[in-house]
Amino acid sequence: MRRFAMTMALILVLAVAGCGDDRRAERLAAAGPNPSLDALLNVADADAGARKFAVCAGCHKATKGSPDMGGPNLYGVYGRPMAQQSARYSYTAALLDARGRWDARTLDAWMAHPQRVVPGTKMIYPGVSDPLDRADIIAFLKRQAD
Ligand code: HEC
């Protein structure tokens, strides 16, 4: 009986984890083996990205008209040149000099290892290691724009 109860509890935990995981297994299966960034973006989910943006939200807002925090507001950042997001924000010289543009590729690399994309940036963040999580956050950021 006790074992039955434990098994049921385990099934419940797995079911809840499965729901919270935004159809991860299905989406990864659809993206195919060793998926490229484009393949992951095809199955990316902006709503899942909105939830995963929680790991960024300690330093960034991503809603229109919101103030900068530790980092600049990211509303509309997708497609913009680097370090031109906020006129009031004091960017590092490193990011000002980077002269890149925020697209899926640069955002993906940045979220994985900010310091590797722009050495000397003050975005001190260990990085989002999971490629599907990064793709979901990119889909969310793309949506947070006019
Ligand atoms: C601990 C605080 C912190 C966290 C967490 C953080 N950032 Fe940042 N972010 C910063 C800072 C500070 C900068 C400004 C960097 C500079 O000037 O060198 C920045 C800059 C950026 C920029 C460049 C904006 C521009 O105008 O060019 C992007 C894009 C960005 N962050 C995305 C993210 C995303 C996506 C996450 C979550 C995965 C995240 N950040 C998590 C602090 C943070």
Side-chain angles (χ1 to χ4, degrees), residues 5 8 26 28 40 48-49 51-52 56 69 71 77 80 98 119 123 139:
M8 291 314 287
E26 287 159 73
L28 282 175
L40 289 172
R51 289 188 286 277
K52 292 173 183 177
C56 321
M69 305 206 301
V77 80
R80 298 279 301 268
M123 178 161 144

Side-chain angles (χ1 to χ4, degrees), residues 55-56 59-60 70-72 74 77 82-85 89 91-92 95 102 107 110-111 121-125 128 137 141:
V55 298
C56 321
C59 300
H60 294 284
L74 296 178
V77 80
M82 292 178 180
Q84 288 182 31
Q85 182 61 11
Y89 185 79
Y91 290 100
T92 54
L95 193 58
W102 292 120
L107 283 168
W110 174 259
M111 273 191 265
T121 176
K122 63 177 170 178
M123 178 161 144
I124 305 301
Y125 183 69
V128 178
I137 294 173
L141 287 175

Side-chain angles (χ1 to χ4, degrees), residues 21-30 132:
D21 211 12
D22 306 303
R23 297 173 36 251
R24 180 183 182 83
E26 287 159 73
R27 294 195 290 134
L28 282 175
L132 183 62

